[in-house]
């Protein structure tokens, strides 16, 4: 693993190397299914909690007024929904080692 991060194809390679009896294509399909399920669930307003890893949620942002940094003009931002993530305790401990 490099210091610059891990992209999707590298993550598929990691799954393929660690799970016996699957092809690289199946590893990719497993990852795609997981991500699609998390995205669809959060988009529907359902939280996804993975014990020890974290919790994916949908965050509701209220409408607000902001300032355009280039012009200084005030602009109105509409209410929006955004994805949120809160790391679990085991994840936080692993990162802080």
């Amino acid at each position: 693993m490099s210091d610059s991060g891990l992209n999707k194809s590298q993550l598929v390679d990691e799954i393929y190397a660690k799970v016996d009896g699957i092809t690289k294509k199946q590893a990719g399909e497993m990852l795609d299914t997981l991500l699609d399920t998390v995205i669809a669930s959060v988009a529907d307003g359902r939280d996804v909690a993975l014990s020890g890893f974290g919790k994916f949620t949908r965050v509701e942002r209220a409408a607000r007024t902001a300032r355009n940094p280039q012009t200084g003009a005030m602009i109105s931002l509409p209410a929006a929904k955004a994805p949120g993530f809160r790391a679990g305790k085991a994840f936080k401990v692993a990162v802080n080692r």
Side-chain angles (χ1 to χ4, degrees):
M1 220 175 356
S2 69
D3 289 339
S4 64
L6 192 68
N7 65 31
K8 187 175 177 182
S9 66
Q10 292 167 328
L11 187 54
V12 169
D13 290 342
E14 292 283 327
I15 294 168
Y16 171 70
K18 291 179 181 178
V19 179
D20 290 332
I22 65 168
T23 65
K24 196 178 277 194
K25 181 179 178 183
Q26 288 171 323
E29 290 170 350
M30 289 168 54
L31 180 59
D32 287 340
T33 300
L34 172 67
L35 296 176
D36 290 345
T37 303
V38 170
I39 291 168
S41 296
V42 173
D44 287 342
R46 295 179 291 154
D47 294 348
V48 177
L50 302 173
S51 209
F53 181 71
K55 185 176 184 179
F56 297 90
T57 60
R58 184 171 77 181
V59 179
E60 307 280 339
R61 293 191 180 144
R64 63 189 175 96
T65 304
R67 186 176 303 276
N68 180 330
Q70 290 182 331
T71 64
M74 297 301 288
I75 56 173
S76 294
L77 297 176
K81 298 172 185 137
F85 177 75
R86 177 175 285 174
K89 183 177 180 180
F91 192 178
K92 290 177 186 178
V93 168
V95 170
N96 282 307
R97 276 193 235 168

